[in-house]
Amino acid sequence: MRIVVLAGGIGGSRFLLGVRAEAGRDSQQNGDSAEPVTAIINTADDVTLHGLRICPDLDSVMYTLGAGIDPERGWGRAKETWTVKDELAAYGAEPTWFGLGDRDIATHLIRTRMLDAGYPLSAVTEALGERWRPGVKVLPMTDDRVETHVVVADDDKGTNRRAMHFQEWWIRHHAELRAEKFVPTGAEDASAAPGVVAAIAAADVVLIAPSNPVVSIGTILSIDQIRTALAQTSAPVIGLSPIIGGAAVRGMAEKCLPVIGAEVSAAGVARLYGARRDGGLLDGWLVDETDAGTSVDGIEVRAVPLWMTDVDTTAAMARAALDVAQEVGKRA
Ligand code: FO1
């Protein structure tokens, strides 16, 4: 079974561990060749700092699936040290607020050197994967530069607005500055990365990971070719809610959703994505048992445990999503 997953960083990585496990079990049972899962990853969090190109979501996926991640943080390397960061701070070299780990810097150095040599981000990602062996095909959503910038109003009257990179809003300001808009700068001119459209078209099922609907999934959907491919694929599109009982499982989804006028609930995110039959994204939607009884017009909703406490529970979530896909697929 060919599974394609759209995902962001930390939540997406955890979910991919479960999908990889489930796909492995599935292919063992059916004996079919283990088609690797294809993960299409958000790159709008990417940022250039201290002369290095940093791709947080690609790195979280790569490190998590390659068992190099720091499990508490969900980003950066295990057994990390911060000597270079401290030395940069000693020089007063801004930004001092960004957590640049010594081990992590090696990844950024290789990526920056390959990008400067003209390799596209997808080729860089493949090269880095030679070491980490994630066990799924990791594709950036695009090889073009797309960055989420956040428009904040400095005062209540909203007179002097300013825009900043998402990483600054999130890390330096802890998402406490009132955001007026999230702008995926560059998205209008960006093409899907090589292999992305073909993977969606050939998929048996497309899963939307429980990632941030605005600055992770939303930014992937801001690439027109990806949105069109999702509308046209014969594969059922099944999403998993990142909101449980009205709050984000982790991260800043509950701070982002109100900015775009979406309700902070499992139903609210499903309505934001929309029903496929009405020109939206979803055929099916998994909500946590806390939100059982959720119903959204035109979308097949199922209530299952959605807390990704370990790989087994996450694999069970993936299994549940594949089951809904089968039911929806039959009906279509
Ligand atoms: N998140 C933080 O909250 N603080 C940091 O200092 C930080 C540094 C960092 C460095 C590399 C990297 O790949 C990710 C990093 N993140 C940090 C996480 C990152 O901001 C988020 O994971 C995504 O951008 C949002 O999902």
Side-chain angles (χ1 to χ4, degrees):
M1 176 183 281
R2 286 165 301 208
I3 302 169
V4 169
V5 183
L6 270 59
I10 299 173
S13 301
R14 293 230 160 96
F15 179 61
L16 278 165
L17 281 173
V19 178
R20 182 180 67 180
E22 184 51 35
R25 201 191 54 74
D26 203 54
S27 61
Q28 242 159 21
Q29 270 195 342
N30 307 347
D32 65 18
S33 67
E35 282 275 313
V37 172
T38 300
I40 298 170
I41 304 302
N42 171 49
T43 58
D45 286 3
D46 295 4
V47 63
T48 299
L49 296 171
H50 301 290
L52 299 173
R53 189 69 180 162
I54 295 157
C55 301
D57 286 1
L58 284 169
D59 289 351
S60 280
V61 169
M62 185 174 71
Y63 290 155
T64 300
L65 293 172
I69 196 80
D70 175 281
E72 276 67 52
R73 290 196 304 265
W75 56 267
R77 288 291 312 284
K79 305 190 192 68
E80 187 58 280
T81 52
W82 312 93
T83 306
V84 174
K85 177 177 187 283
D86 295 344
E87 286 301 305
L88 287 166
Y91 280 111
E94 289 302 335
T96 49
W97 46 264
F98 190 80
L100 208 50
D102 298 324
R103 292 173 185 268
D104 201 24
I105 286 173
T107 300
H108 310 323
L109 285 169
I110 290 179
R111 177 184 291 121
T112 305
R113 197 173 64 181
M114 287 186 73
L115 291 172
D116 290 350
Y119 289 95
L121 181 57
S122 43
V124 175
T125 304
E126 197 173 350
L128 293 170
E130 286 304 305
R131 171 186 175 187
W132 291 102
R133 304 234 168 271
V136 305
K137 198 165 161 52
V138 179
L139 300 178
M141 66 184 195
T142 177
D143 280 339
D144 300 316
R145 185 174 183 149
V146 177
E147 291 185 2
T148 299
H149 289 187
V150 186
V151 177
V152 298
D154 260 348
D155 55 10
D156 302 359
K157 292 184 293 305
T159 42
N160 55 333
R161 282 183 182 75
R162 62 197 169 107
M164 65 181 71
H165 192 287
F166 169 77
Q167 293 297 340
E168 182 166 4
W169 179 72
W170 168 235
I171 299 174
R172 185 178 190 186
H173 299 290
H174 311 289
E176 274 147 18
L177 295 181
R178 189 166 56 80
E180 288 198 343
K181 242 165 67 169
F182 295 103
V183 184
T185 57
E188 61 286 350
D189 304 324
S191 310
V196 165
V197 170
I200 294 171
D204 295 308
V205 60
V206 176
L207 303 180
I208 309 296
S211 298
N212 187 307
V214 183
V215 295
S216 291
I217 303 300
T219 41
I220 296 174
L221 299 176
S222 72
I223 310 290
D224 286 346
Q225 289 172 329
I226 295 179
R227 206 173 181 103
T228 306
L230 288 165
Q232 292 172 348
T233 182
S234 57
V237 179
I238 312 297
L240 294 93
S241 178
I243 304 291
I244 294 180
V249 172
R250 129 176 225 154
M252 71 316 275
E254 72 259 30
K255 298 217 173 184
C256 298
L257 286 162
V259 175
I260 61 168
E263 188 189 84
V264 182
S265 68
V269 178
R271 286 193 199 98
L272 170 68
Y273 288 155
R276 191 131 169 243
R277 66 162 200 198
D278 306 334
L281 181 65
L282 298 175
D283 294 304
W285 185 242
L286 294 191
V287 303
D288 185 73
E289 289 165 328
T290 326
D291 298 308
T294 300
S295 74
V296 181
D297 267 2
I299 299 176
E300 193 67 38
V301 180
R302 288 281 180 290
V304 298
L306 283 191
W307 287 96
M308 297 189 282
T309 41
D310 55 31
V311 182
D312 291 346
T313 45
T314 314
M317 284 162 57
R319 179 75 262 150
L322 297 177
D323 291 345
V324 178
Q326 226 146 22
E327 286 168 46
V328 164
K330 269 194 220 103
R331 197 157 322 131

